[in-house]
Amino acid sequence: MATGTAAQKHRRTTWHNWAGNITATPARVVSPASVGELQEAVRRAAEEGLRVKAVGTGHSFTAAAATDGVLVRPQALAGILSVDRAAGTVTVAAGTALKDLNRALADQGLSLTNMGDIMEQTVSGATSTGTHGTGRDSASIAAQIRGLELVTADGRVLACSEKENPEVFAAARLGIGALGIVTAITFAVEPLFFLTAREEPMAFDRVTAEFDQHVAENEHFEFYWFPHTGNCNTKRNNRSQGPAAPPGAVSAWVEDELLSNGVFQAVNSLGRAVPAAVPAIARVASRALSARTYTDIPYKVFTSPRRVRFVEMEYALPRERLVEALRELKAMVDRSPLRISFPVEVRTAPADDITLSTASGRESAYIAVHMYKGTPYQAYFTAAERIFTAHGGRPHWGKVHTRDAEYLAGVYPRFGEFTALRDRLDPDRVFGNDYLRRVLGA
């Protein structure tokens, strides 16, 4: 029995991400129960010449967390560490899932200002890859960070904020795992508030013509365009006095479970098996949605369940280029033999000051394209990427793209600042991998 147990400890296991498009076979997997254990794991790996990567829940579509060295699972480093109501901050361990943070904050009458549309990720995984929602004035989750701690390549714990190691803080809020392993994050929070959501079908030509107006008039505006149709579904989230008026049980089940997950799974499976049916399915699906209005606390409005698995590419464009690029994307799909069963998602973000944020230094709009898991996506993504890059697009760090360091240095004015900091903090590339070599250079 003892021999078998020892063999299991040394047997390599394969890790794969949520979408199944990325796999890795690390030399070993560690789940540190304390920051001290994590420091020791990093030191030991460096001594053995092994690279180290931390992985959250695997919701990235790139190999940012893949390694053949030591894979760190930080989920044991979880929970709220402290709340400072006077400062309006909360400090949380890095392996905490966003869903757990959101619920714990709500229990204390607090909330993040903005968030993405799912909450399965760990806080460190979400911020390190640039997870964002949509917002006229409020930016990504990483932009809400007020301080963080990370274990560096030499095993030290480095505390960072605007006042302490500010040059590291400017970069490590969105560090793609290149600067160290984040162990704790301090977020800005505010008293819990209500959002009223208004979902409404709208024609593609109308929503693109009125895009700037919708962004200006709403705190959070986004829309989905259904390829092979001229139909979109819009969503406007704005603060309100409440009280909570969530969707009725039947309505919520129909919209969020049946149409968005159950039926959506079935129609995507049908589209994968019979691609010629996709345009007809898209026309029916886009007309099945109806307008609805509801009010609830933020995380219940911003986020929704996503159980249909897919592969995704997303680019941030200068906001003024969004409509032109989206019209080019539609024209490309219309004239091509491509069959796209997933809607295209459009969101916005204000400029921020994070070195490698996709919204760094410029007001941005995002176009996200998706393909159902198991469906060939390369032709679609290649054609879409050609359009996005022609408009100076910046790829989401956690989503499929083919860009390299040469391209990225041209669209990020502070790119050299980040790579110089990486050279200082991790000269031996303890936290390196093939993905980082491509996007940051050797």
Side-chain angles (χ1 to χ4, degrees):
M1 181 67 73
T3 302
T5 302
Q8 288 174 359
K9 287 183 180 179
H10 295 286
R11 186 174 60 202
R12 288 190 174 220
T13 58
T14 298
W15 169 86
H16 61 83
N17 65 341
W18 177 82
N21 67 310
I22 301 293
T23 60
T25 306
R28 63 176 176 265
V29 178
V30 298
S31 300
S34 68
V35 174
E37 288 186 12
L38 174 59
Q39 291 176 275
E40 180 56 32
V42 171
R43 292 191 191 104
R44 180 185 167 196
E47 290 170 358
E48 296 175 354
L50 294 175
R51 295 182 294 184
V52 185
K53 299 303 298 179
V55 63
T57 55
H59 273 75
S60 291
F61 302 91
T62 68
T67 185
D68 57 2
V70 178
L71 190 70
V72 176
R73 306 300 299 261
Q75 280 79 354
L77 302 175
I80 290 179
L81 303 177
S82 65
V83 176
D84 187 336
R85 292 182 180 272
T89 61
V90 59
T91 300
V92 59
T96 308
L98 281 168
K99 61 184 177 184
D100 295 331
L101 174 61
N102 285 330
R103 290 164 185 160
L105 287 175
D107 288 343
Q108 298 201 37
L110 299 169
S111 177
L112 294 171
T113 297
N114 198 0
M115 59 194 75
D117 57 9
I118 65 169
M119 55 179 184
E120 302 303 314
Q121 312 104 304
T122 60
V123 294
S124 54
T127 56
S128 293
T129 53
T131 294
H132 63 91
T134 189
R136 180 189 61 205
D137 309 305
S138 53
S140 69
I141 302 177
Q144 297 169 68
I145 294 177
R146 296 296 175 263
L148 60 85
E149 292 183 352
L150 73 161
V151 172
T152 56
D154 58 5
R156 291 181 300 134
V157 175
L158 190 67
C160 312
S161 67
E162 289 184 345
K163 296 181 179 179
E164 190 173 12
N165 296 303
E167 76 288 354
V168 180
F169 180 69
R173 283 175 285 171
L174 197 168
I176 336 171
L179 304 178
I181 297 179
V182 176
T183 59
I185 298 174
T186 299
F187 290 105
V189 292
E190 59 178 300
L192 194 64
F193 56 94
F194 288 106
L195 286 172
T196 292
R198 167 70 178 173
E199 298 177 6
E200 179 185 7
M202 190 176 293
F204 179 92
D205 290 341
R206 178 186 168 191
V207 74
T208 51
E210 299 176 354
F211 177 70
D212 288 336
Q213 177 185 341
H214 290 305
V215 172
E217 292 177 350
N218 296 281
E219 293 175 76
H220 309 275
F221 177 71
E222 64 185 305
F223 69 93
Y224 296 83
W225 163 58
F226 294 82
H228 312 296
T229 79
N231 304 325
C232 297
N233 196 45
T234 64
K235 184 176 182 181
R236 287 165 274 194
N237 298 331
N238 291 286
R239 296 191 184 215
S240 70
Q241 295 300 309
V250 174
S251 171
W253 183 81
V254 169
E255 292 283 347
D256 299 326
E257 294 298 331
L258 182 62
L259 293 179
S260 296
N261 286 295
V263 170
F264 195 49
Q265 175 84 49
V267 299
N268 273 280
S269 295
L270 174 60
R272 183 173 63 187
V274 188
V278 167
I281 292 171
R283 288 190 291 271
V284 172
S286 64
R287 288 196 295 264
L289 299 171
S290 58
R292 64 171 179 166
T293 300
Y294 52 94
T295 300
D296 218 323
I297 58 176
Y299 82 83
K300 294 184 178 180
V301 173
F302 284 130
T303 69
S304 55
R306 289 284 185 270
R307 284 184 285 277
V308 180
R309 304 211 177 200
F310 54 85
V311 178
E312 180 178 2
M313 167 184 283
E314 183 176 46
Y315 266 74
L317 311 181
R319 211 196 80 184
E320 65 273 12
R321 307 295 293 272
L322 179 278
V323 171
E324 181 183 359
L326 191 62
R327 287 172 175 161
E328 290 175 10
L329 182 69
K330 184 177 186 299
M332 181 274 292
V333 171
D334 287 347
R335 67 173 179 264
S336 78
L338 296 169
R339 294 295 177 259
I340 314 302
S341 61
F342 251 83
V344 172
E345 183 178 23
V346 177
R347 294 177 287 179
T348 67
D352 64 43
D353 63 349
I354 302 172
T355 311
L356 288 189
S357 166
T358 46
S360 182
R362 74 183 190 192
E363 193 171 357
S364 300
Y366 297 87
I367 303 178
V369 297
H370 314 69
M371 286 292 275
Y372 183 51
K373 180 182 178 181
T375 304
Y377 62 84
Q378 287 83 358
Y380 177 36
F381 284 13
T382 297
E385 190 173 41
R386 190 174 297 120
I387 293 169
F388 302 154
T389 55
H391 291 276
R394 298 169 176 170
H396 189 299
W397 295 106
K399 298 178 184 179
V400 174
H401 69 92
T402 66
R403 300 299 89 187
D404 60 13
E406 181 180 6
Y407 174 87
L408 295 166
V411 294
Y412 282 99
R414 299 172 68 184
F415 188 84
E417 178 184 330
F418 187 96
T419 55
L421 179 63
R422 183 191 186 205
D423 287 342
R424 175 162 69 85
L425 292 179
D426 187 15
D428 297 324
R429 302 298 187 256
V430 172
F431 302 114
N433 64 6
D434 292 343
Y435 177 76
L436 292 181
R437 185 180 300 110
R438 171 165 68 88
V439 299
L440 297 179

